[in-house]
Amino acid sequence: MKLNREPTALRLSPSDEVPGWTPAADLLVTEPAAVEILWLPDKRLHLKPFLGRSADLAGAAAELGIAKPAMSYWIKRLSEAGLIRPERVEKRARHRVTFYRCVADRVRVSLEHAPMESYEAVFADFSQRWHGQALSAMSRSLVRQAPSLELCLAHTPSAGLFTTILPREGHAQPPDDFLYYWCRLWLTEAETEALARELNAVYDRYGALSDKANKPVSSLMHLIHVREPR
């Protein structure tokens, strides 16, 4: 499904009325100009104020923390790409303020249309929130265990400077407040597939037990298992 562009509806004068319209609940985006914006995090950020709601230029600029001229540029670009359109015009003293909204409350774009450089950015974008929360929780754990731990630094031929946290000599191993593993495993094809199945099974088992309403202890869980390119 391609976006329907309506250039005449996007060039409003202060006295124009906005034709009534309803955003789609879901839209697959295929237009190249819109696809480029949606795939690149530093560009699609400018769509945020208009997804599932409407915003004027000043409100969108304030939400994103950018200057109004920059927001004006992005409103024009998002409009020309067919991603947003005017929703209504409100009278404010001696002038009118146009509010814009995304043409759909949820937009999708196929992976096959993504520029190659954007794939890594996708993972960084949707893991940013969780990563920050996990770092904060792990830091608080280290504060509690600090008297029993020490930072160790060493040189390794493959990685250069290597750092890790270990128990202090003469101190008992503190309880595992968190698990944090980075490692490289050399396995057969069958063992690699078995590892992936077991990790998925752990997630499925404990995901089924999760009950936010009735269980007071929350835990963050992050699993990564990926084959390295040969």
Side-chain angles (χ1 to χ4, degrees):
M1 180 177 182
K2 291 189 175 182
L3 294 175
N4 294 319
R5 297 186 182 181
E6 300 185 34
T8 56
L10 298 175
R11 297 187 178 92
L12 296 178
S13 68
S15 61
D16 287 335
E17 296 297 332
V18 177
W21 65 282
T22 302
D26 181 88
L27 181 67
L28 175 62
V29 178
T30 58
E31 291 286 349
V35 167
E36 180 196 12
I37 291 173
L38 294 178
W39 262 116
L40 298 175
D42 60 335
K43 295 182 179 180
R44 68 168 173 258
L45 174 68
H46 300 92
L47 185 63
K48 179 184 174 185
F50 312 107
L51 267 174
R53 55 198 169 129
S54 60
D56 66 339
L57 187 154
E63 179 177 340
L64 297 179
I66 64 176
K68 289 181 182 179
M71 193 70 244
S72 178
Y73 164 83
W74 276 103
I75 285 178
K76 179 181 178 182
R77 186 162 178 186
L78 292 169
S79 298
E80 291 176 344
L83 287 170
I84 66 172
R85 58 181 295 185
E87 183 191 52
R88 68 183 190 278
V89 175
E90 292 186 0
K91 294 181 180 179
R92 301 275 180 87
R94 297 181 181 179
H95 62 282
R96 296 189 176 200
V97 177
T98 303
F99 284 74
Y100 300 84
R101 181 165 177 159
C102 183
V103 295
D105 289 340
R106 187 178 79 158
V107 290
R108 297 175 289 116
V109 58
S110 173
L111 280 171
E112 66 180 348
H113 294 139
M116 187 63 189
E117 66 271 16
S118 71
Y119 283 103
E120 290 185 10
V122 168
F123 288 104
D125 192 35
F126 64 61
S127 67
Q128 183 177 8
R129 169 197 170 195
W130 297 108
H131 184 64
Q133 292 181 354
L135 285 179
S136 177
M138 289 188 294
S139 296
R140 290 195 297 270
S141 176
L142 287 182
V143 168
R144 291 192 298 270
Q145 299 183 19
S148 301
L149 298 173
E150 57 190 13
L151 177 68
C152 299
L153 298 89
H155 176 81
T156 62
S158 59
L161 182 64
F162 176 77
T163 61
T164 188
I165 302 290
L166 294 173
R168 290 179 60 188
E169 291 187 10
H171 288 249
Q173 172 77 42
D176 282 332
D177 270 5
F178 63 87
L179 304 175
Y180 188 82
Y181 293 116
W182 273 106
C183 62
R184 178 174 283 110
L185 303 176
W186 300 88
L187 305 171
T188 66
E189 187 71 23
E191 290 166 342
T192 299
E193 293 175 358
L195 174 59
R197 287 195 302 270
E198 290 178 27
L199 292 176
N200 274 320
V202 168
Y203 172 80
D204 290 341
R205 176 185 174 188
Y206 287 93
L209 295 174
S210 180
D211 183 352
K212 183 178 180 179
N214 299 306
K215 297 181 179 179
V217 180
S218 64
S219 299
L220 288 175
M221 180 179 180
H222 184 202
L223 290 174
I224 296 178
H225 173 248
V226 62
R227 297 168 189 259
E228 289 192 297
R230 295 182 178 179

